[in-house]
Amino acid sequence: MYKGADTEVLVVGAGFAGLSVAGGLDPDKCIILDRGEKLDLGAASAAFARHQSGARHILDFAPSVAAERFALESKLAGNRVSLPLSGMSCNAYSYVQGGISNWWGGYASRLTDETLAMDGVISWPLSQRDINPFVTRAEGLLHVHGDPRLPNRGYAGAMAGYDIWSELLKNVFPAAHVTPEAKNVTSIKEQKIGLCSGVGHCAICINDAKARPENCFEPRTIFNCTRVNAILFEDRRATSVIAETQGEVFEIGFETLVVAAGGLENVALLQRSALPKDVRSDLIGRFYQDHTACEILIEMPFDMPWLAMGAECHIELPELSGYFHGIEVRTLMLSIPIEAIHARPLMLKAYGPKDLEGVRKMVRRTARLYLQLEIPPEWDLQVRSSGHEAYIYTMPYLKNIGILDMVTHEIVGKLRDRGLTPLHVFPHYRDGFGGHHYSGTTPMSRTENAVVDPTQRLHGTDNVYINGASVIPRCGGAGPTLTLTALGLRLGMHLAGA
């Protein structure tokens, strides 16, 4: 083993979490490592097409999910992920360069005031005033497009078709607005927006229309195919890491370390390192948060403009969102029509369509509501690891499924109060969860359960910082990518000033 070149700042991870920090630092004083190989999008798309063809019938979606996992799987030795991560987890994970950032479909919703103010076992120590300037910057950096009527946003542009839906729904859901979506604007410069064709499997975007780390940040030298095995300390100060590439083991020294390796690897790397005694090791991996889902089919009183936005985004319904029984729900009306899996139970009901015109009307007027349901930190799911392998302890999830039933029942009641007819409920949450969000496991917090302080420095150390979904104390009903990118920009500015 030999000691590699020292650097001022070492960043572990080249996804949104790592590159958002590195973007604020001097490239000559910062080294970025990533354990995966560079993603070949063309090869990944071809691999997806080969494996997706294994569907037995139109309702068999398993081959598509398996094909996504295969296409984004790292081919490097030691980078294979054992899936599923638990019996109730449908999550994917990948160690190609950028990691789980490559799975992000682009939904870039902000945290609500209620989530930032929520008290609990872990709670936000920051206010909207603290993070909003960085969220606005992140929206521009990620090329987010959305509804231009929303105030104080940093959107790169308006989402085409936003006004069609808001006008249509104004008497039923007056606050409805299109979901903000991050797009790739680099390849179609004259239109300034990526061309999503609405295939629906956003992990592999064959049109390269979605935002990925590679098309959002300025080019930086990334030393990929390099796995960090452990962090070495002298008392409270991290001095170097033991890394490995192509079977060669070496040591890299630094002044400051930023761990931004992904929701599983942040935990696993810390747990396989000999941490200083004052690090809150017993809390690392706890309070895991993610999302699960429910779909509700409703009959609308008018025909719907399906595909008016090309399936690039959907419609957020604030009237059916918020906190219910201690968890936050984001309710979306999908901008695409029902599929065969949804039509079948409707056809079998006594009031189902009896002729061709009835079927056509059903397709035109049946809307799909997608409920993104928070798995809150109070349930205390956990990420546990052994060496380089990680898994999710999910027994508490099973104990709380009844709460999700109550939430769904309450939202169905709100629909009826608005004069809308719920036709069928698909309680996907009973089969498991799988937002791929891996949040809350090394959290900042205004409670005693913080693993990092508000500057994201690891408690008990002098120079180790963490970024990523794992530091977010509560996501609520929003996915973490916009927030973790904003926190990365904030951390980069802090380190540059320091």
Side-chain angles (χ1 to χ4, degrees), residues 16 101 104 107 142 437 472 479-486:
F16 290 112
S101 292
W104 185 43
Y107 181 31
L142 299 176
H437 292 152
I472 296 173
T481 304
L482 179 66
T483 302
L484 68 87
T485 302

Side-chain angles (χ1 to χ4, degrees), residues 158-177:
M159 180 62 73
Y162 79 91
D163 49 342
I164 296 174
W165 283 92
S166 57
E167 177 66 23
L168 181 75
L169 297 174
K170 66 181 181 182
N171 293 325
V172 185
F173 298 109
H177 59 83

